[in-house]
Each structure stands twice: as C-alpha cells, then as structure tokens.
Amino acid sequence: MRIEVIGGGSLGLLFAAGAASAGTPTVLYTRTGEQAAIIAREGIEVRSPGEEGPGRRIRRNLHAGPIEAFGVSGAAGRSTDDDGDRWIVLTVKQKDVDDVLIATLARGIRSGDRLLCLQNGIGHIERLAAALPQADVYAAITTEGARRLGPDVALHAGQGSTSFGLPHGGESSTPGRMGAEKKLTDTFAAAGLPLSASNDIQTAIYRKLLMNAVINPLTALWRVENGALLESADRLAAMRALFDETVAVYASAGVVVPPEWWDDLLGVCRATSRNRSSMLEDVSHGRETEAKWIGGGIAALARRCGTAAPLNEMLLHLIEGMRPDKR
C-alpha cells in the first residue's frame, strides 16, 4: 500500500508522519516548493503537548513534493511500476477544494484509487465524487488535535480518532474495499492515530459539523484555545444557544441528534483543550476561513427547510467581517 497526503498544514504533517512512521511508503504534497524541499531534506517533526526540546523526527519512508508534482510519473518518490493500493489523504481546508485542485486530482488519480477527505463542512464530497468517477471518495471525520509550528513541525495537541466511510455506507462492504480499509486502519493504528470504518458516515458528518459550528467561530471571535470555552458560564451559555439552534435546524432536515452530543461537544473541548481551531488560526493570520461551509452550511440548510438559523448566520457575518480585505 502507498499513502499520498495532499496538504502541508497541521493535519497533513501529522498524518504523513504517522503513515511513514508505520513503515508505509508515503508522499506529502505541499502548496509551496519551499516547504516540500524542507520536508524532503529534514523530514517531519511531531511534538507532544508539554514536551521539552525536539519531538520525534520522521524521515524514513517519507518523500515530499509540490502539489504540481501530484500524478506525475516518477515524481516525489513515486515508482512507475507502483500498482498497489493507493490512498490519497486530502487534508486541505474546504476553501481550498477549488476548481484548480479538483483538476489536479482528476489528472493524477488512477482508477481504483481511494480518496480520503478530511474537510470540515458539507458539500465537498458530492463535488469530488462527481469530478472523480474513477476513484472511491470517502468522507472522514477526525477529532485529532494538531497545530503546525513550522513548515516541518506539527504539535499533536490532542489525541483523538478518525471515522471514515463512503457516503452510501452499504457500498463499502465489498471484499476489495474492506481489505483496503483494513490496511489503512492498521497503518494508522500502528502510528497511534486510530481510524475506524463506518457504514453511517453521514451521521458522523453532521455530528462533526455541529461540533465545528459551535467551537470554531467562538474560539475565533474570543481568540482562545478550545479548552477555554469551558472556563466561564457566559461562554457555556453561548455554546448552548448555538448548539440548540443547530439541533433545531437538523430536526427540520430530519437529522436526529442524540442527547449525548452535548456531552460529546464538551468532551471534545476537554480532549483538545490546547488546540487552536483552524478558524482561529485563519483569522489570526487574516486568511479566509471555512465559515461559509460550517455556519454558512447550517444557515443554508435551514433556508432549504423553510426555517432560520440567526445565530449561525450572525457568526458567519462576524467571522467574514474580520478579514482585512472584506469591505
């Protein structure tokens, strides 16, 4: 098996290092040639919270190249006679799943490849599946907490887990797919990054969307790490109001929310207490966020169901209004 990771952010570094450390031939494709060159030369360092000094540095089984090299024969350590199972792990943010990236994927993905998508929000799986009929397109939901500290350094800020599956779960139960899924889960289990295949990934998608809709915009607005959301009654009250509004939207759409999802939300904040959400990182650097696909996705779902999501809508405008290029 071979694993190719697209995206040199926090999750891309974490999953590429994990796959390589487990002994699997791994390629990491990054947005810039500069980052790829550093990783090709130095490998990837993974640190743990509270760890003093350098963390583990992974070099063996790891190649790196710019995204332009994806799908190019012989590029970034790819062998021309490599015909085994290939998983492409897509770790870029939803906002970066644009026409240019989709065209790059369409050029480089072969028949029988499997694409594992780790984006937040909704809508991207359908676009990718339509553009890549030659591949199995899996949705993945992760609670792994990670922060990029440098072009070749990732902090594994919170231990989590990852679920993945095809949007229509019953289609994943063929022997070939089950075998490929087991190879993937075994690889990342050996690296301490547990994965599990799910036949109900749609429920997991809506659960993660709810978690992101509460955690991400509030941490971004208050400029706090995830665990700090639990430090005051006012913050908890805002979380609960946003949670309840989103649950009401889900009910209008026929999505059932178990009562324990509120406790799960609090548990995610505790488990990733030192993690800075991706939205907080984006607003801190003046970058476009995923707000349009998270809170905006919930607001759009509400409109399709003939209801409203005023808190999600307001948070979308507040986050979008923080960008210096927005007028």
Side-chain angles (χ1 to χ4, degrees):
M1 183 180 69
R2 177 185 181 84
I3 292 177
E4 301 191 9
V5 179
I6 296 178
S10 57
L11 286 178
L13 292 173
L14 183 67
F15 277 88
S21 70
T24 301
T26 304
V27 182
L28 174 62
Y29 292 100
T30 63
R31 184 176 59 83
T32 68
E34 290 80 4
Q35 185 185 11
I38 292 171
I39 293 169
R41 183 177 66 250
E42 304 291 343
I44 298 172
E45 180 186 331
V46 179
R47 298 180 186 174
S48 300
E51 188 174 45
E52 294 184 4
R56 293 183 304 125
R57 186 163 286 276
I58 310 300
R59 293 186 177 91
R60 294 185 62 185
N61 308 305
L62 179 65
H63 298 272
I67 185 59
E68 293 81 10
F70 177 74
V72 177
S73 180
R78 178 176 172 181
S79 171
T80 55
D81 61 355
D82 178 18
D83 59 357
D85 285 332
R86 184 169 72 141
W87 284 89
I88 294 99
V89 183
L90 189 64
T91 67
V92 302
K93 295 176 182 176
Q94 166 116 219
K95 63 186 176 64
D96 297 315
V97 184
D98 56 16
D99 291 342
V100 174
L101 178 61
I102 290 175
T104 300
L105 292 172
R107 181 193 71 216
I109 288 181
R110 307 180 305 234
S111 177
D113 283 345
R114 294 172 173 87
L115 180 66
L116 188 73
C117 304
L118 283 157
Q119 287 64 50
N120 293 325
I122 52 178
H124 60 294
I125 297 295
E126 293 79 7
R127 288 179 63 210
L128 289 165
L132 305 168
Q134 71 273 39
D136 287 333
V137 178
Y138 285 76
I141 302 298
T142 189
T143 58
E144 296 288 355
R147 186 189 305 174
R148 190 180 115 162
L149 303 180
D152 59 337
V153 182
L155 171 68
H156 193 182
Q159 182 70 53
S161 61
T162 303
S163 299
F164 69 101
L166 294 172
H168 304 290
E171 297 179 4
S172 66
S173 58
T174 65
R177 283 175 175 148
M178 291 175 66
E181 291 168 3
K182 187 176 188 307
K183 288 181 185 178
L184 187 73
T185 58
D186 288 348
T187 291
F188 284 109
L193 297 170
L195 268 68
S196 60
S198 171
N199 287 325
D200 188 19
I201 196 64
Q202 288 297 114
T203 296
I205 289 171
Y206 281 112
R207 179 181 178 276
K208 181 65 182 296
L209 180 62
L210 175 55
M211 305 292 166
N212 285 333
V214 175
I215 294 172
N216 287 17
L218 294 180
T219 56
L221 286 170
W222 290 327
R223 305 295 180 104
V224 297
E225 295 177 341
N226 293 356
L229 292 178
L230 310 181
E231 292 179 354
S232 78
D234 287 327
R235 291 176 181 176
L236 282 167
M239 291 173 66
R240 186 74 213 202
L242 193 53
F243 178 91
D244 288 343
E245 176 182 280
T246 304
V247 168
V249 172
Y250 280 8
S252 298
V255 178
V256 178
V257 175
E260 60 266 24
W261 280 14
W262 171 250
D263 292 330
D264 292 348
L265 172 63
L266 302 182
V268 168
C269 290
R270 296 188 190 100
T272 63
S273 61
R274 294 191 59 187
N275 196 44
R276 290 166 59 90
S277 73
S278 59
M279 198 172 292
L280 172 56
E281 288 291 284
D282 285 339
V283 300
S284 297
H285 293 89
R287 300 187 298 244
E288 183 181 8
T289 74
E290 295 177 300
K292 288 185 287 188
W293 295 274
I294 298 176
I298 291 169
L301 179 62
R303 289 191 293 271
R304 290 198 296 272
C305 296
T307 184
L311 293 178
N312 280 280
E313 194 91 49
M314 177 58 72
L315 284 173
L316 168 62
H317 295 315
L318 289 172
I319 295 295
E320 288 288 280
M322 295 175 77
R323 286 181 59 194
D325 59 334
K326 284 285 186 177
R327 297 290 184 266

